[in-house]
Amino acid sequence: MKPAPFDYVVPETAEEAVSCLQKYEDDGIEATVLAGGQSFVPLLNMRMARPDVVVDLRKLKTLKYIREEDGVIAIGAMTTKREVEESELIQQRQPLFHASTLEIGHLQIRSRGTVGGSMAQADPAAEYPAVALALGMEMKILGTDGERIVPADEFFITYLTTEIDSTELLTEVRVPVLAEGTGWSFQELARRHGDFAIVGGAVTLRLDGGVCTDPHIVLFGVGATPVRMTAAESAISGQAPSAELFAQAGEQGAAELESPMADVHASAEYRRHLAKVIIKRCLLEATERAGGSVS
Amino acid sequence: MTAKIPQKLEDLPSSEPRWVGKDVKRIEDPKLVTGLADFIENLQMPGMLHCAILRSPHPHALIKSVDASEALKHPGVSAVLTGEDVLKWTNPAMTVPDGWGVYCLATDKARFVGEPVAAVAAISRSVAEDALELIEVEYEPLPAVADAKKALEEGAPLIFEDKGSNVIHKRLFTWGEVDQAFADADHVISDSFRWNRLGANPTETFGVVSQWDLLENSVTCRGAFQSSSHFALGRAATFGLPSNRVRIISHPHGGSFGGKGGARGTDIAALLSRKADGRPVKWIEDRMEYLIAGGGQSWDRFYEASLAVNADGTMTGFKVKLLDDIGATGEGFGAISAAKPLAVFTGNYTIGAAQYDMTLVATNRLPQSPYRGMGPPPHYFVLESLVDSAARQLGMDVSEIRRKNYIQPDQFPYIIPSGNEYDSGNYEACLDKVLDMADYQALREEQAKAQEAGRLVGISVVNAIEPGVFDWNAYSAVGMPGVGVPEGVTISVDVMGSITVRVGFSLEGQGQYTLAAQLLADYFGVEMDQIRVVHADTASAPPHFGPGGSRLGVALTGAILGAAKKLEDKFLAVAAGLMQTEAANMEMVDGWLRIKGVPDAEMPMAAVAGTMLARSDLLPPGMEPCPEATSVWTAPGRAEPDEEGRCKSYLTAANACHVIMVEVDRDTGMVEILKYFVVDDCGTRLNPGNVEGMLHGAIAQGIGAALLEEYVYDENAQPLVSTFMDYLMPTINDVPDTQSAAMVTPSPFSPLGAKGCGENAIHLTPAGIICAINDALAPLGVAAKEIPASPNRLWELIQSADYPQDK
Ligand SMILES: Cc1cc2nc3c(=O)[nH]c(=O)nc-3n(C[C@H](O)[C@H](O)[C@H](O)COP(=O)(O)OP(=O)(O)OC[C@H]3O[C@@H](n4cnc5c(N)ncnc54)[C@H](O)[C@@H]3O)c2cc1C
């Protein structure tokens, strides 16, 4: 389990990194950026990733920040999950994002793994991509032509694939603060604490005049990317919360799934069932957090 | 001649033992936990090369050709090893039963995914792995045998063509009038069970540095070896060398649990060294190699079993039909763990007749290796599950049916139908103690309330015997020869009175160096830090086996006390000479040699040892100047088995009773362990803290077995588990706080009355968790009969129940 030979460069700035990547691209050289290494280094060691060059981002300290700007929390791509976990700003202003952070691996993983890395890795069972979709986050991407902003629902393309081009860098993740009165829930079912979820859910909703409004229901672990459960969302929109309604939303959500993944831990059928369970549980919890009660 | 050694703590030559029986901190731990022990990966040797192994991606394939010429040209590569070399230089591995071994590299065909096909020695592991990519192997894939049942099918592909069948071993044992017992029984409880493959996963995988001495034609292997002398014999046979031309130097290792394996890696590294002009060659197994092709897979069993029970709950007969998938070859000695249940076949019970119908087969899965417990854990899963089914059928409480069938204290020593003898115990007292500790009545009330609320909460009460101190005769059922397993030590006292003891095994984490120091410190009345325990390699150690079969604590105690006694006798003779009296008038107490009944007529042990080495003029005639003694212990009273496999095999029979409460999430099939209580009795507890450590580690492993761990293969025998994302070990979040207490019924047969306790709760935890799950599922009318009880499996069971869902 040793990597194939590769060259190694450590740019000083994001701009330098991007121009490096562009140069390699132009020369037909395959380059991959390295952030916290928690996903990439195992792939490298198993020789499943075989880039010619590894571009290490460790010196890009300017991409390490968490700050609030006009109702949006801007997080530098190189910020570690541990820093998110310890951020009071995030704990108070975006509790869903905070709660999901605690479910990622273990302390050691969170201490090295970065926010940008998790988004760029786009693991279908990972927490952050699902939360990005549920909260409508935005990704700031830097190329030699400058920056562009990609909303989460256009960012995740398929299994381990995002909008980031091989010459680009994800520099910032923009997280809307949780609006006052929004109920939320983040839950996952995993074989053990700290494992990637078999199925997980990220949910937000509001209660207006006793009915559910603006529901966002996102599941992860069930397909190639996190999925927004639109049928389940419309099933509850404008309806008074109830256990039956949420069970029904679960049914609808589960039926909506195309073909859930199957692996050694869970068959497709079991995953589909868990999707039902998670949707219902998340909706119940989110309703409670929104100040509602469930009949 | 064997020395007469103390059988009880009071017999030690000490006015009051200060160390033995006390919760002594382990002397080996600082090195192990800081990583400063000389683990094999830390070893650097001049000129050392690094080995990487090319492995078969096919479960079953003919090897048409291997072209390593490009690899050999790769910069940094010193040697490449292929099937041609091993055919020339080696023999197939020894196996039990005989004749199911292969060469260390596949020569004609590959029989499992991960089987070594070629290997490279280079200046670094990275370069060696680069070179592997240049080796071209032409395979012709063959149809594979994916599991034990398929191995028996008509027309199944043959793993060894010359055998004409995939059956490695088949034998039917009948003990007592078993058919009669079943004919007479009021009830016969029958069921099928499946125990899926799992096994040891030590923190450190296997590693080795092998070196071939080209002038002497000898091999020296340094590495993480569990049983050095045994391993040396295997290497000598493989290399066709005289046994004294193989030297095994064991390094401290980061755990083993039976999973160190390593024979192939050791041989491959040695042969590469031979090809590389005798330069040392290091091979460190990585975790993927370990999980796919290492020593970590055990017990892959299908069971059909029946219990004969009378209306009053008396159990009279037990029949077990076992089909075990040993894997592609017999090299990991997997078969012997199918034989070990003979030592405890009928558990804690007075069941008078039994039958064991075992069929062991070869498939294209990885060869099985030993794992802590070595076979009985699945057997207890079957037995205890059937006992619970019987209780349910008879409307008895699970604790009462057990109580009714216990072997009673006055029946010991007790010979079970399968031939082994249990030394001592008090099972009912153990049961009462744990029920009391758990407040069993209150637990049952809590369960009833939870059930009323629609929750699936269950409780189990299970018990087992841990066979302690194995003997080779235990495995004669599968063709293992021999009686007696020696364990030897040499104790030397130097001219300053410092004591060094040489043992034949290295650090593995069980705390035996501490035990050696405790025993000697008490025996000679010194502080523990005056004792130095050192590892002796196979070139210098007395006969030994090392850890395994829950034996080393007891065996080491026997050896240490035997050698100490011999030394004491020498000291008494020398001191008697110095004090001008007879040795018979002398005694040694707390390290002082004195004339009995004469105050102040005494001298310290150190002075006597010093005199022996420095004043030959003062020694009695015939006394050598040698304050050193060797003793080799083996369990007394072992013999060859009779024609039905019956013999006294394991010397001691520790026992334990667990009470477990679990909850199954009806929606998800996920299990939470709510409460866990244990009372165990392993006789004299030589170091209680150490026993506790054994208990808690074994419970964790048992939880892994019951709920998490499984080597999954697909229908073509491709392993689907290759990392710790697939093979789930329990973590601190999965292991509950356990309440435990001890009973002490000393063994009448073992040194100081200690019983083997190193395998411990792994015997019982899997059975206990499954029984608790089944108690929880009982209202649904379904039961889990497959291990691990993964959420997916339990969910399917719950789905199959005739019960309103999603309430
Ligand atoms: C034992 C273990 C358990 C884990 N459990 C979980 C879990 O439960 N949930 C979970 O979500 N994750 C889990 N992970 C993965 C972990 O969260 C990783 O940290 C994360 O997936 C990647 O972040 P990283 O900073 O380590 O990125 P790296 O591994 O360095 O990179 C990952 C990928 O992203 C790319 N990349 C990284 N940064 C950028 C950037 N700024 N711009 C463009 N591309 C970039 C890299 O090129 C690479 O392809 C686990 C990992 C381990 C080892």
Side-chain angles (χ1 to χ4, degrees):
Chain A
M1 240 200 281
K2 299 282 181 219
F6 58 83
D7 284 336
Y8 175 78
V9 295
V10 194
E12 301 284 335
T13 65
E15 291 68 26
E16 189 192 331
V18 170
S19 64
C20 259
L21 291 172
Q22 185 68 54
K23 193 172 110 340
Y24 290 129
E25 173 90 358
D26 295 344
D27 296 347
I29 291 169
E30 196 191 323
T32 306
V33 301
L34 167 67
Q38 298 302 291
S39 293
F40 178 53
V41 170
L43 292 174
L44 204 60
N45 282 344
M46 293 184 226
R47 301 192 175 211
M48 287 160 75
R50 312 184 56 128
D52 302 306
V53 189
V54 170
V55 179
D56 190 345
L57 306 184
R58 72 186 156 85
K59 287 197 179 162
L60 308 191
K61 299 283 187 274
T62 54
L63 296 187
K64 246 178 179 307
Y65 54 83
I66 300 174
R67 56 182 175 243
E68 189 175 338
E69 304 164 345
D70 311 323
V72 169
I73 305 167
I75 304 173
M78 288 299 285
T79 308
T80 64
K81 285 149 207 158
R82 183 86 176 127
E83 286 158 346
V84 172
E85 184 178 337
E86 289 180 335
S87 157
E88 260 175 51
L89 172 66
I90 290 176
Q91 201 163 349
Q92 283 162 14
R93 304 280 283 160
Q94 189 35 272
L96 167 53
F97 187 52
H98 188 260
S100 74
T101 306
L102 301 180
E103 298 294 325
I104 300 175
H106 310 275
L107 186 111
Q108 293 85 339
I109 311 298
R110 296 195 295 272
S111 298
R112 290 202 73 102
T114 63
V115 174
S118 278
M119 297 299 181
Q121 180 67 20
D123 190 297
E127 288 80 2
Y128 275 1
V131 175
L133 207 57
L135 295 178
M137 294 189 196
E138 291 175 332
M139 311 293 160
K140 196 188 263 187
I141 297 173
L142 179 71
T144 40
D145 299 339
E147 279 176 357
R148 60 188 182 117
I149 301 253
V150 180
D153 57 2
E154 293 168 22
F155 181 78
F156 301 104
I157 297 173
T158 182
Y159 185 77
L160 308 184
T161 311
T162 69
E163 259 295 304
I164 310 171
D165 190 74
S166 53
T167 59
E168 292 178 319
L169 216 56
L170 175 64
T171 53
E172 185 178 286
V173 173
R174 301 176 59 77
V175 191
V177 300
L178 196 77
E180 200 69 28
T182 304
W184 62 273
S185 174
F186 184 87
Q187 294 191 32
E188 59 182 59
L189 294 164
R191 293 288 301 273
R192 300 171 305 180
H193 176 78
D195 283 347
F196 278 104
I198 301 176
V199 175
V203 164
T204 61
L205 56 74
R206 302 178 63 80
L207 292 176
D208 285 320
V211 299
C212 305
T213 59
D214 196 22
H216 289 231
I217 305 176
V218 173
L219 290 193
F220 57 104
V222 289
T225 63
V227 251
R228 184 117 182 231
M229 303 274 92
T230 48
E233 288 175 2
S234 27
I236 65 162
S237 282
Q239 305 287 322
S242 74
E244 289 87 297
L245 178 71
F246 292 162
Q248 202 187 320
E251 296 285 348
Q252 238 139 352
E256 207 175 334
L257 293 174
E258 271 171 23
S259 46
M261 311 189 284
D263 58 24
V264 293
H265 305 307
S267 66
E269 211 192 336
Y270 179 54
R271 274 206 162 78
R272 195 186 288 282
H273 168 81
L274 291 186
K276 222 171 8 182
V277 175
I278 275 284
I279 290 173
K280 181 179 164 190
R281 288 182 178 179
C282 284
L283 287 171
L284 286 170
E285 190 181 41
T287 302
E288 238 170 69
R289 285 212 174 95
S293 63
V294 179
S295 57
Chain B
M1 277 301 292
T2 52
K4 194 173 160 351
I5 60 178
Q7 291 294 315
K8 302 197 201 96
L9 282 182
E10 304 85 84
D11 300 342
L12 286 171
S14 156
S15 41
E16 169 107 49
R18 296 164 63 206
W19 316 104
V20 180
K22 302 285 175 357
D23 222 343
V24 171
K25 270 201 184 144
R26 306 201 319 188
I27 56 176
E28 52 268 79
D29 285 2
K31 268 192 175 178
L32 290 173
V33 301
T34 55
L36 291 175
D38 50 346
F39 295 116
I40 191 64
E41 170 65 321
N42 298 340
L43 180 71
Q44 300 298 331
M45 291 177 72
M48 189 172 78
L49 298 167
H50 299 263
C51 161
I53 297 174
L54 185 69
R55 295 169 180 280
S56 169
H58 301 287
H60 202 187
L62 293 177
I63 295 171
K64 307 301 274 185
S65 66
V66 178
D67 180 356
S69 50
E70 289 304 311
L72 198 51
K73 287 184 214 150
H74 190 69
V77 170
S78 294
V80 178
L81 193 75
T82 67
E84 260 175 57
D85 302 308
V86 304
L87 279 173
K88 197 165 57 195
W89 286 335
T90 69
N91 301 309
M94 292 196 303
T95 62
V96 170
D98 203 20
W100 291 83
V102 296
Y103 295 93
C104 62
L105 293 180
T107 52
D108 50 348
K109 71 168 183 172
R111 290 177 171 84
F112 60 93
V113 170
E115 182 167 10
V117 173
V120 170
I123 48 163
S124 73
R125 175 69 174 248
S126 298
V127 170
E129 289 191 16
D130 293 345
L132 289 187
E133 297 186 339
L134 303 173
I135 300 177
E136 282 188 23
V137 183
E138 195 190 331
Y139 295 99
E140 184 184 317
L142 298 169
V145 178
D147 67 45
K149 288 195 167 167
K150 298 224 171 76
L152 293 176
E153 281 171 8
E154 190 79 29
L158 294 178
I159 313 301
F160 286 77
E161 285 76 10
D162 56 325
K163 301 280 184 193
S165 146
N166 291 320
V167 176
I168 292 180
H169 192 68
K170 188 164 174 54
R171 197 161 165 190
L172 175 70
F173 295 100
T174 301
W175 303 300
E177 299 301 322
V178 70
D179 287 334
Q180 196 60 47
F182 274 81
D184 293 346
D186 296 327
H187 301 272
V188 171
I189 317 284
S190 301
D191 227 324
S192 311
F193 301 89
R194 171 81 171 116
W195 180 292
N196 286 290
R197 251 175 203 247
L198 49 77
N201 250 300
T203 310
E204 178 207 36
T205 54
F206 179 73
V208 66
V209 179
S210 295
Q211 187 165 21
W212 202 291
D213 184 324
L214 298 176
L215 296 179
E216 205 185 57
N217 202 25
S218 69
V219 182
T220 299
C221 309
R222 298 168 161 85
F225 301 106
Q226 179 164 346
S227 304
S228 315
S229 58
H230 199 61
F231 207 83
L233 286 180
R235 309 289 57 73
T238 299
F239 296 136
L241 290 175
S243 46
N244 62 359
R245 297 284 143 157
V246 176
R247 182 172 173 204
I248 298 288
I249 304 175
S250 184
H251 280 242
H253 27 302
S256 171
F257 310 105
K260 275 300 189 225
R264 289 206 197 215
T266 302
D267 295 351
I268 289 168
L271 295 169
L272 280 167
S273 169
R274 180 172 179 169
K275 284 196 106 172
D277 303 328
R279 290 169 71 177
V281 176
K282 179 187 265 189
W283 178 64
I284 303 291
E285 181 179 52
D286 68 37
R287 187 63 66 179
M288 286 181 87
E289 292 182 295
Y290 184 87
L291 290 172
I292 295 173
Q297 300 191 14
S298 309
W299 317 336
D300 191 343
R301 300 181 173 179
F302 294 91
Y303 279 104
E304 285 166 36
S306 318
L307 195 61
V309 194
N310 286 334
D312 68 351
T314 310
M315 304 188 283
T316 55
F318 182 39
K319 285 188 188 177
V320 178
K321 193 168 174 203
L322 165 72
L323 173 61
D324 198 355
D325 177 348
I326 298 302
T329 79
E331 69 195 68
F333 297 90
I336 65 179
S337 70
K340 182 169 168 187
L342 264 68
V344 289
F345 202 81
T346 39
N348 301 49
Y349 312 119
T350 52
I351 299 171
Q355 190 172 73
Y356 194 24
D357 178 355
M358 55 152 95
T359 305
L360 315 181
V361 297
T363 68
N364 290 112
R365 295 184 175 204
L366 177 69
Q368 275 195 30
S369 290
Y371 181 32
R372 191 177 193 177
M374 199 77 197
H379 185 83
Y380 281 126
F381 157 57
V382 171
L383 174 59
E384 293 296 284
S385 293
L386 286 181
V387 172
D388 271 18
S389 299
R392 215 165 282 132
Q393 189 156 330
L394 297 174
M396 282 179 89
D397 185 87
V398 292
S399 66
E400 290 314 310
I401 193 169
R402 287 177 169 80
R403 185 191 301 280
K404 180 145 194 75
N405 288 281
Y406 281 151
I407 299 163
Q408 295 301 314
D410 59 4
Q411 291 178 284
F412 294 102
Y414 184 88
I415 294 184
I416 60 172
S418 49
N420 192 27
E421 177 188 72
Y422 294 171
D423 61 323
S424 65
N426 188 342
Y427 305 157
E428 193 164 3
C430 183
L431 173 72
D432 283 330
K433 189 161 180 166
V434 72
L435 292 179
D436 205 38
M437 182 165 80
D439 199 350
Y440 184 59
Q441 251 359 84
L443 276 193
R444 285 290 178 197
E445 283 158 28
E446 197 180 326
Q447 177 191 28
K449 271 197 207 124
Q451 283 176 338
E452 267 165 43
R455 291 164 59 200
L456 301 176
V457 171
I459 299 168
S460 64
V461 179
V462 291
N463 41 237
I465 304 300
E466 174 177 3
V469 194
F470 90 95
D471 197 280
W472 291 121
N473 68 359
Y475 310 138
S476 67
V478 291
M480 178 64 86
V483 176
V485 187
E487 192 65 40
V489 302
T490 299
I491 302 171
S492 338
V493 183
D494 67 18
V495 72
M496 307 305 290
S498 296
I499 301 173
T500 301
V501 54
R502 277 187 282 141
V503 299
F505 55 90
S506 183
L507 300 181
E508 206 171 75
Q510 299 98 329
Q512 285 106 352
Y513 281 28
T514 305
L515 175 59
Q518 283 174 276
L519 290 162
L520 284 170
D522 269 337
Y523 204 104
F524 291 110
V526 298
E527 300 300 310
M528 268 182 66
D529 61 9
Q530 280 173 262
I531 314 293
R532 181 117 198 257
V533 189
V534 298
H535 163 63
D537 65 57
T538 55
S540 57
H544 62 276
F545 180 82
S550 245
R551 71 180 287 276
L552 192 52
V554 173
L556 179 67
T557 300
I560 294 269
L561 295 180
K565 174 72 179 138
K566 287 182 185 175
L567 257 185
E568 179 190 347
D569 288 346
K570 283 195 191 183
F571 291 157
L572 289 171
V574 173
L578 293 173
M579 296 192 200
Q580 298 175 350
T581 179
E582 297 294 315
N585 298 331
M586 303 277 307
E587 64 181 1
M588 186 179 86
V589 179
D590 297 332
W592 290 83
L593 287 297
R594 59 192 194 203
I595 303 175
K596 288 182 212 165
V598 182
D600 296 336
E602 59 183 16
M603 58 190 294
M605 177 274 293
V608 180
T611 303
M612 285 179 83
L613 287 164
R615 291 295 302 272
S616 61
D617 55 323
L618 299 180
L619 293 185
M623 174 67 69
E624 289 177 15
C626 180
E628 185 174 305
T630 294
S631 175
V632 182
W633 185 89
T634 191
R638 310 299 97 181
E640 283 201 303
D642 69 10
E643 68 291 347
E644 281 303 316
R646 285 174 293 222
C647 59
K648 291 184 188 178
S649 51
Y650 281 73
L651 181 70
T652 65
N655 69 285
C657 190
H658 295 198
V659 174
I660 308 169
M661 188 181 205
V662 306
E663 176 160 9
V664 181
D665 182 332
R666 184 190 296 265
D667 288 337
T668 64
M670 291 180 176
V671 173
E672 190 185 349
I673 300 167
L674 304 175
K675 291 185 176 152
Y676 206 120
F677 305 93
V678 179
V679 172
D680 71 343
D681 184 349
C682 57
T684 307
R685 293 160 97 83
L686 299 169
N687 184 346
N690 214 9
V691 179
E692 280 288 294
M694 288 292 158
L695 171 70
H696 292 294
I699 288 176
Q701 284 175 311
I703 288 170
L707 300 175
L708 296 165
E709 300 179 35
E710 180 177 359
Y711 288 102
V712 185
Y713 286 80
D714 75 6
E715 64 283 1
N716 299 314
Q718 271 288 345
L720 301 181
V721 164
S722 60
T723 73
F724 278 152
M725 281 176 72
D726 318 312
Y727 192 83
L728 306 181
M729 306 277 291
T731 72
I732 194 156
N733 299 299
D734 309 293
V735 181
D737 245 347
T738 305
Q739 267 193 54
S740 60
M743 297 213 350
V744 177
T745 312
S747 172
F749 304 140
S750 72
L752 303 185
K755 301 180 186 180
C757 63
E759 289 167 336
N760 216 300
I762 192 152
H763 286 102
L764 204 40
T765 302
I769 288 177
I770 299 296
C771 287
I773 288 172
N774 288 341
D775 191 46
L777 296 178
L780 306 187
V782 293
K785 289 158 202 166
E786 183 165 4
I787 257 182
S790 67
N792 201 149
R793 286 196 178 111
L794 291 184
W795 171 73
E796 279 171 15
L797 267 181
I798 294 169
Q799 289 299 104
S800 72
D802 188 17
Y803 195 87
Q805 300 294 324
D806 285 327
K807 64 168 283 228

